[in-house]
Amino acid sequence: VPAKTYDTGAYHEPGAIGILFKIVHAFLYLVQPNSFPQGKQINYFFFKHIFVFDVRFSEKNVVLTLQAIYYEIGFIVSAALGLLFILLLPLVGLCFCMCRCCDNCGGEMHQRQKKNADCQRSCFATFLFVASLIIRQVVGVLCAYAANQHLTNQVRGAKKLVNSNFKDLKIFLNDTPAQIDYLVSQYNTTKDKALSDLNNCFLTKVFFKKFYILAAIRETKEALENVSVSVEVLQEGTERLHANLTDVKMHLSNTLNDSACNAAQAASTCNIIRNSLSQLNINANFSGLPGVSSQLAKVNDVLKTDLSSLVQKVWKNGLMDYSQYRQSNFFHNIKSVLESIGSNITTFTKTLPVQKILADLMVYLTQSEAYVQDYFPVVEQYDFYRWLGCLILCCMVVLILVFYYLGLLCGTCGYDKHASPTTRGCISNTGGNFLMAGVGFSFLFSWVLMIVVVLTFVTGGNVEKLVCEPFEDKNLFKILDTPYLLNQHWKNYLAGILFKNPNVNLTFEKVYSDCKENKGIYTSLHLEYLFNINEVLNVSMYTEDVALKIEHIQINLSKIILLDEIGKENLLNFSSSGIDGIDFSAYLTEINKSVTKVDLLSFANDLEARADQLPKGALENALKGHANNIRMIHNQQVVPLEQAMSTLNQSIRLLKRTSSELMVKVKNVISAVNAAQNLINNNASQVIVQETKKYMDTIVGYFEQYTEWVKESIAMEVAACKPIANVIDTAVDIFLCSYITDSVNTFWFGLGGSSMFLIPAIIFAVKLSKYYRRMDTEDVYDDVKNIPMKITENGNNGYHKEHLYGIHNPVFT
């Protein structure tokens, strides 16, 4: 069945970002390792209370609710932790700020001197660099930005995939009527073949198929005539060739006896030519071959009685009887059956509402395509807003990273280990301020980032676990196929929609699988419940009446005599014609020889080449003249002799094949004719009926083969619904899962990782800033070697403020 190929390839390869998608899938498996819930009740609960958001609960749903909670426990715990993060981190930040304003929680601008201060500073800087920059930047920001950009790129390129799906659907709708017309038109081919066989006389095939011996006799006669003529031609030709070659040798010998050959330059060449003259002679001798005139005469005697005329006479005698058979209702009934089947098929295809359904679907498809084309710019516009919002979120994290990076850079570069806390340089102090600014922005942005993370995590994670993974392993279709799920009164929802009969075993999973395999829509949707093609293509319903009429056919063929005694005697005479006595080996021996001992063309070329070696003169010209004469002899005499030898070879081999077991073959033919004659005399009518039934079975076989081909084509090729499966795959697997869900999940995975690492980054940044910022006070000692602390006048815990004493770095300067 002619069918066009579809352009849409419902497969998406994400590229390098696919590695991130696999990491996110692995993380989701850790969060939610449970398999998809099975069972009628749990599926019903999930569909009604989760997908449809029906919050009405009853006592019978308590167990199902607990099962759903168990299934969602990973998401529930993760979301709860996220909510705690959203609530606690801003609250902790508020308390932390208030505490620092009261010179607590590290808010006092004083740093106590410790022996391991350098080690602590290096550790805090290293931890902050690893936690904040390497982990958060690589795993977090870059991952989120890549997912954000990937989704935008896919949305921009989705228009081509959408157009490809619409194009395939249009091809699907447009090609279906042409495919149906093609199936109907092929019926005419089957009908013409049946009528052609019907018009051919099959009675001759029944009773006269054994008379192939007639052709064998004629072929034998032709072969004997060819042998006789060919031998005569060869004998005359070889005699004439022998005479011409003798003349050539004589003239060549006279030329070589010329005095010019005695010269030193020509003597050796002339001797070589003189020694090769003996090769100019004939090789095959056909004069001694036995003739075949006696065998040919006997075959001609056999053919004086024209066996074919006997066959025609037999046929003429039985023609009147067979004409009665031809004029019987059998032929008329067969033709009526053929026309009736064709008429019914045509009528059936016209009554189907295929054209109307396809026209309505085409209008709906065109409107849908126009709607998508009109709103696609709106989708791209909203996707731009989404992309911008996600970019702002990434910039929030980047801003915090910038502050931390600048803090580490300035603090590390401006730090002077010989400077006291109160005399640290401006660059070092700026680094500490940058770190504290990063801490402040972390508290400001953390709850915003985590809100987005929690929302996208709950949504994207559940879509992946409840839609994408079940769709991949077809569990999603099993949910939709759950009896009484979508309609509490229908066992099979799809069958109820299409056929108004919910008891038909038609499921979403089976339809999708069949369309995925590009089967015909007739098989996929079980359209036999709407119209059954088996009823229209049932040939037996048309042939039952004809079969009954065949039983009453009466034909009298008693006047037919297949072969009389004269014909039999002639066949026996043919078998004893003496063909097997021909000496085939003698013929084949001479045929396998060449006409001459040497190839005359090669001899002439060699003679001319040797003449060129001689000095210019009469001798050279004479030898070249002899060479041209030898070429002429080859073309005019040797070539015809070779053709005659080829004809003789074919004829002799044919006679050799014919002669083998000739008597046995003739006796078999006579036995077959006697058996056929006995059959005609005793059981002619019965044989006619049997052969007629066989012929009718052959005709019926044509249409059974046609109907099986039609059924197979309708089931597998006509309206192959691969585009429908492609649309589903494009909408769910590619758009929803690959484009949107994977990108969203990767985004929250990166953004969530960055948000979680805010906590250790805050701690390390606060600790590290103490070593970079310029302090207001510091520990003061009377003697570097004596560590006891000097008690200041105001007795404020062993340290004094710099502005009271007016000293600058009293210990280390």
Side-chain angles (χ1 to χ4, degrees):
V1 177
K4 295 184 179 179
T5 57
Y6 300 117
D7 297 334
T8 302
Y11 175 76
H12 173 65
E13 181 61 42
I17 199 173
I19 300 175
L20 295 178
F21 292 165
K22 292 180 180 180
I23 295 175
V24 174
H25 291 167
F27 178 78
L28 286 175
Y29 178 77
L30 294 176
V31 175
Q32 171 55 289
N34 301 319
S35 59
F36 194 81
Q38 299 294 328
K40 173 184 174 182
Q41 292 181 338
I42 189 65
N43 290 342
Y44 181 85
F45 176 83
F46 262 83
F47 190 86
K48 288 296 184 181
H49 297 280
I50 295 181
F51 293 146
V52 185
F53 300 104
D54 186 358
V55 296
R56 293 173 297 175
F57 291 92
S58 60
E59 294 181 359
K60 66 179 181 179
N61 288 333
V62 173
V63 176
L64 298 178
T65 304
L66 294 177
Q67 291 179 352
I69 292 175
Y70 174 76
Y71 177 79
E72 290 283 332
I73 189 64
F75 288 103
I76 294 174
V77 172
S78 299
L81 293 177
L83 293 176
L84 288 177
F85 185 95
I86 295 171
L87 296 175
L88 294 181
L89 197 62
L91 183 61
V92 170
L94 179 61
C95 296
F96 179 74
C97 293
M98 295 176 63
C99 184
R100 286 183 67 86
C101 291
C102 299
D103 289 338
N104 294 317
C105 303
E108 54 182 349
M109 299 300 291
H110 173 80
Q111 185 177 17
R112 299 184 181 276
Q113 300 298 317
K114 297 180 180 179
K115 294 181 179 181
N116 60 349
D118 290 338
C119 180
Q120 289 184 351
R121 177 182 54 81
S122 300
C123 290
F124 291 147
T126 302
F127 292 152
L128 179 61
F129 180 78
V130 172
S132 297
L133 299 182
I134 296 180
I135 297 177
R136 287 174 61 196
Q137 186 171 0
V138 175
V139 178
V141 178
L142 294 182
C143 181
Y145 178 78
N148 184 38
Q149 190 63 39
H150 178 265
L151 179 56
T152 298
N153 294 338
Q154 299 307 323
V155 170
R156 292 175 181 174
K159 188 174 183 178
K160 181 179 179 181
L161 186 58
V162 172
N163 292 336
S164 176
N165 277 275
F166 277 116
K167 180 182 177 182
D168 288 348
L169 289 175
K170 288 182 179 180
I171 293 175
F172 169 75
L173 296 178
N174 290 329
D175 281 359
T176 299
Q179 291 175 332
I180 295 175
D181 293 341
Y182 177 80
L183 295 181
V184 175
S185 66
Q186 291 305 304
Y187 174 80
N188 294 328
T189 303
T190 305
K191 183 183 71 174
D192 294 341
K193 173 63 178 174
L195 292 177
S196 175
D197 290 350
L198 188 65
N199 292 326
N200 291 331
C201 175
F202 61 89
L203 188 60
T204 304
K205 299 177 184 178
V206 175
F207 295 112
F208 301 138
K209 59 185 178 180
K210 298 298 182 181
F211 280 85
Y212 62 85
I213 195 65
L214 296 176
I217 295 175
R218 293 191 182 92
E219 290 178 355
T220 302
K221 176 189 174 183
E222 294 176 357
L224 289 171
E225 291 176 345
N226 291 334
V227 169
S228 179
V229 173
S230 299
V231 169
E232 184 179 353
V233 170
L234 289 171
Q235 289 175 350
E236 294 177 357
T238 52
E239 290 178 1
R240 187 167 59 253
L241 177 62
H242 178 69
N244 291 333
L245 291 178
T246 302
D247 290 342
V248 170
K249 286 193 294 182
M250 183 182 65
H251 290 98
L252 265 174
S253 179
N254 294 333
T255 301
L256 295 174
N257 291 330
D258 189 86
S259 59
C261 280
N262 296 328
Q265 297 178 351
S268 61
T269 302
C270 292
N271 290 332
I272 294 173
I273 296 174
R274 189 179 295 111
N275 294 332
S276 64
L277 293 180
S278 60
Q279 298 177 358
L280 291 176
N281 205 346
I282 61 174
N283 190 29
N285 184 13
F286 297 97
S287 60
L289 293 178
V292 293
S293 57
S294 60
Q295 290 87 349
L296 181 60
K298 290 182 180 180
V299 174
N300 286 329
D301 291 339
V302 172
L303 290 176
K304 287 180 181 179
T305 302
D306 192 355
L307 293 177
S308 62
S309 65
L310 292 178
V311 175
Q312 297 295 332
K313 182 179 179 181
V314 167
W315 177 251
K316 185 175 180 181
N317 291 334
L319 185 61
M320 294 302 296
D321 295 323
Y322 183 69
S323 64
Q324 298 175 4
Y325 170 70
R326 290 276 298 180
Q327 294 172 2
S328 65
N329 291 332
F330 169 71
F331 285 86
H332 177 71
N333 291 336
I334 286 292
K335 291 181 180 179
S336 299
V337 168
L338 300 182
E339 297 296 338
S340 177
I341 295 175
S343 177
N344 288 342
I345 292 175
T346 304
T347 303
F348 175 73
T349 55
K350 290 182 178 180
T351 56
L352 292 177
V354 176
Q355 294 292 347
K356 183 179 183 304
I357 294 175
L358 293 178
D360 294 341
L361 290 176
M362 183 61 73
V363 172
Y364 177 76
L365 183 63
T366 304
Q367 293 175 351
S368 300
E369 184 178 14
Y371 177 83
V372 171
Q373 296 295 338
D374 292 340
Y375 280 89
F376 201 84
V378 179
V379 173
E380 291 182 335
Q381 182 179 2
Y382 280 103
D383 178 71
F384 172 74
Y385 297 150
R386 177 208 56 78
W387 175 84
L388 189 60
C390 294
L391 186 62
I392 292 174
L393 294 176
C394 292
C395 289
M396 291 181 180
V397 181
V398 171
L399 180 62
I400 298 173
L401 290 175
V402 168
F403 281 123
Y404 285 158
Y405 180 78
L406 292 176
L408 286 172
L409 182 63
C410 294
T412 303
C413 296
Y415 181 78
D416 184 5
K417 62 180 181 179
H418 299 294
S420 66
T422 58
T423 60
R424 288 172 181 157
C426 179
I427 297 177
S428 176
N429 185 61
T430 302
N433 292 333
F434 274 131
L435 293 177
M436 292 308 299
V439 172
F441 280 110
S442 297
F443 285 119
L444 288 176
F445 295 157
S446 60
W447 64 278
V448 177
L449 297 175
M450 189 54 67
I451 287 177
V452 175
V453 169
V454 171
L455 292 178
T456 54
F457 166 74
V458 174
T459 304
N462 278 287
V463 170
E464 174 67 27
K465 303 299 289 188
L466 296 177
V467 178
C468 297
E469 289 185 2
F471 178 82
E472 185 176 356
D473 55 20
K474 298 182 181 179
N475 279 326
L476 185 61
F477 296 106
K478 294 179 181 179
I479 295 177
L480 298 177
D481 293 330
T482 301
Y484 310 106
L485 174 64
L486 301 178
N487 190 314
Q488 59 182 352
H489 302 292
W490 288 355
K491 180 179 180 181
N492 295 304
Y493 181 77
L494 188 58
I497 290 293
L498 293 179
F499 310 128
K500 305 303 180 184
N501 183 8
N503 294 321
V504 176
N505 187 22
L506 180 65
T507 62
F508 289 99
E509 180 184 7
K510 186 65 168 60
V511 171
Y512 173 77
S513 299
D514 288 344
C515 289
K516 192 76 172 176
E517 297 174 3
N518 203 26
K519 293 183 179 180
I521 200 169
Y522 184 87
T523 299
S524 302
L525 295 181
H526 294 293
L527 296 182
E528 64 269 13
Y529 290 98
L530 291 180
F531 45 88
N532 194 346
I533 60 173
N534 293 326
E535 297 177 358
V536 181
L537 299 176
N538 187 7
V539 181
S540 61
M541 62 183 293
Y542 303 102
T543 58
E544 292 178 356
D545 182 60
V546 179
L548 293 175
K549 293 181 179 180
I550 290 176
E551 299 291 340
H552 300 87
I553 294 178
Q554 296 293 331
I555 303 295
N556 184 10
L557 301 177
S558 60
K559 297 180 182 179
I560 296 179
I561 299 176
L562 297 179
L563 189 64
D564 57 10
E565 294 300 325
I566 298 176
K568 296 178 183 178
E569 184 178 355
N570 276 276
L571 291 179
L572 293 174
N573 291 336
F574 171 68
S575 64
S576 60
S577 60
I579 297 176
D580 53 347
I582 298 175
D583 190 0
F584 296 107
S585 60
Y587 279 91
L588 294 175
T589 300
E590 296 301 325
I591 290 171
N592 292 330
K593 295 180 180 180
S594 60
V595 179
T596 57
K597 290 184 178 181
V598 67
D599 184 15
L600 296 184
L601 288 178
S602 299
F603 186 88
N605 294 333
D606 185 64
L607 180 61
E608 188 172 7
R610 295 190 182 280
D612 291 334
Q613 297 176 3
L614 298 174
K616 301 293 182 181
L619 180 61
E620 178 191 7
N621 294 332
L623 291 177
K624 289 185 177 181
H626 292 309
N628 292 330
N629 190 22
I630 293 173
R631 291 192 185 96
M632 184 174 62
I633 292 174
H634 177 271
N635 294 329
Q636 294 181 356
Q637 298 183 33
V638 175
V639 172
L641 288 176
E642 289 176 347
Q643 295 174 352
M645 289 175 66
S646 176
T647 303
L648 179 61
N649 184 29
Q650 296 176 2
S651 301
I652 286 296
R653 294 185 184 278
L654 175 63
L655 291 174
K656 186 177 181 180
R657 290 195 304 269
T658 304
S659 65
S660 60
E661 300 180 358
L662 183 60
M663 180 63 73
V664 176
K665 293 180 180 178
V666 172
K667 289 182 178 179
N668 290 339
V669 170
I670 294 175
S671 299
V673 170
N674 291 334
Q677 185 67 57
N678 181 60
L679 188 64
I680 290 174
N681 294 337
N682 299 320
N683 299 312
S685 297
Q686 182 179 357
V687 170
I688 291 293
V689 172
Q690 291 177 353
E691 293 298 327
T692 303
K693 288 181 178 179
K694 291 180 181 179
Y695 177 74
M696 183 178 174
D697 291 340
T698 302
I699 298 298
V700 172
Y702 291 158
F703 291 97
E704 288 179 348
Q705 184 178 2
Y706 168 75
T707 55
E708 290 300 322
W709 172 73
V710 170
K711 293 175 184 177
E712 180 68 18
S713 298
I714 291 177
M716 301 301 298
E717 299 181 53
V718 175
C721 57
K722 179 70 172 179
I724 298 177
N726 286 342
V727 170
I728 297 175
D729 289 340
T730 301
V732 179
D733 187 43
I734 297 180
F735 282 169
L736 178 61
C737 296
S738 296
Y739 286 1
I740 299 176
T741 303
D742 283 345
S743 298
V744 170
N745 287 340
T746 306
F747 180 79
W748 63 249
F749 181 77
L751 200 63
S754 298
S755 300
M756 293 303 298
F757 279 104
L758 286 176
I759 297 176
I762 290 173
I763 297 173
F764 296 139
V766 171
K767 291 288 187 180
L768 184 61
S769 65
K770 202 76 171 179
Y771 293 91
Y772 291 156
R773 298 179 69 189
R774 185 184 299 119
M775 298 290 103
D776 293 339
T777 60
E778 61 180 359
D779 291 337
V780 179
Y781 303 97
D782 290 333
D783 192 326
V784 177
K785 296 181 181 180
N786 297 323
I787 299 303
M789 189 180 299
K790 178 181 178 181
I791 305 301
T792 58
E793 294 180 358
N794 57 2
N796 55 355
N797 298 324
Y799 66 87
H800 64 275
K801 291 189 178 181
E802 186 181 38
H803 67 272
L804 295 176
Y805 292 86
I807 61 174
H808 183 72
N809 196 7
V811 177
F812 297 103
T813 55

